[in-house]
Amino acid sequence: MNPSAPIRIDVWSDYVCPFCYLELPPIRRLQEQYQGQVEVVWRAFELRPDPKPTLDPDGEYLHTTWNRSVYPMAAERGMTLKLPPVQPRSRLAFEAVAHAREQGRFDPMHEALFRAFFEDGRDIGDVAVLADIGAESGVERQSLLEALESGRHTAAVHADQQLAYSLGVAGVPIMVFRPAGAGWEQAFGVRGAVPYETMESALRQALGESAG
């Protein structure tokens, strides 16, 4: 993160949302193209928190969505995604990546969680799997296990979700732009897995408002 950047983008996403993974490259490109001008803060938004039922991994809804939207968009963006064989809850994954952030390993674990689920079909709702992904991302395994067991980051994950609800967020991904230090009343959102050009246009708009 770059707290001195003039524009802040809060991104709410879910590790079981393919469109959130598909939006990762445009966000990363924006960070590279506008270094020093943008700070990106990733936030948790669990689409199906307990007790809301998870989706059937072999159900018609997922197959239809993937065939109509996910696979074509992935091909367009040069990414390889596969419909995962499981549909876990993502709260523990959010807690795990919150712990990785404390160890300065947020970015590698953030991307590793998406890859693990959408490319390798791993169950990111399983504590042992999360510990493996953490270790692969440079996170100390035992401390991660202890954090997950104790629920150390549960409140922070819930706080992200509640903030999203208070802002009217109902789905992800959503990228909320605002001048650094400004309140939410000055923010505006860009929803969905949009192309890079849309993200760049939004950033230029935010930069213009910031300068004004």
Side-chain angles (χ1 to χ4, degrees), residues 17-26 64-82 172-173 175 191-196 198:
C17 167
F19 300 105
C20 295
Y21 187 28
L22 288 165
E23 190 59 14
L24 185 58
T64 300
T65 300
W66 277 70
N67 289 330
R68 287 183 179 174
S69 302
V70 178
Y71 286 128
M73 189 177 291
E76 183 181 283
R77 299 188 178 197
M79 299 171 70
T80 302
L81 279 72
K82 303 172 188 173
V172 290
M175 292 69 68
R191 301 174 186 273
V194 298
Y196 170 76
T198 301

Side-chain angles (χ1 to χ4, degrees), residues 41-128:
V41 178
W42 291 89
R43 293 185 177 274
F45 189 94
E46 192 176 2
L47 286 167
R48 284 167 286 279
D50 188 42
K52 191 173 182 178
T54 58
L55 297 175
D56 177 357
D58 201 35
E60 181 180 351
Y61 170 78
L62 279 177
H63 280 279
T64 300
T65 300
W66 277 70
N67 289 330
R68 287 183 179 174
S69 302
V70 178
Y71 286 128
M73 189 177 291
E76 183 181 283
R77 299 188 178 197
M79 299 171 70
T80 302
L81 279 72
K82 303 172 188 173
L83 177 56
V86 292
Q87 282 293 314
R89 300 195 188 281
S90 50
R91 180 181 56 80
L92 288 177
F94 284 122
E95 293 188 26
V97 82
H99 188 72
R101 180 183 271 123
E102 283 190 347
Q103 296 193 3
R105 304 300 297 168
F106 177 86
D107 283 349
M109 185 159 187
H110 179 61
E111 296 189 25
L113 284 165
F114 277 125
R115 286 196 308 272
F117 188 56
F118 288 116
E119 296 184 22
D120 303 326
R122 297 164 76 180
D123 183 355
I124 59 170
D126 183 273
V127 170

Side-chain angles (χ1 to χ4, degrees), residues 163-187:
L163 176 58
Y165 291 152
S166 74
L167 295 172
V169 174
V172 290
I174 182 167
M175 292 69 68
V176 180
F177 292 71
R178 58 180 166 143
W184 294 108
E185 70 278 359
Q186 292 182 249

Side-chain angles (χ1 to χ4, degrees), residues 9 22-35 38 40 42 77 111 194-200 203:
I9 308 174
L22 288 165
E23 190 59 14
L24 185 58
I27 292 172
R28 293 296 190 224
R29 181 180 171 189
L30 197 73
Q31 288 177 286
E32 292 170 4
Q33 295 292 326
Y34 290 86
Q35 286 187 31
V38 59
V40 175
W42 291 89
R77 299 188 178 197
E111 296 189 25
V194 298
Y196 170 76
E197 291 75 18
T198 301
M199 289 288 291
E200 184 179 41
L203 178 62

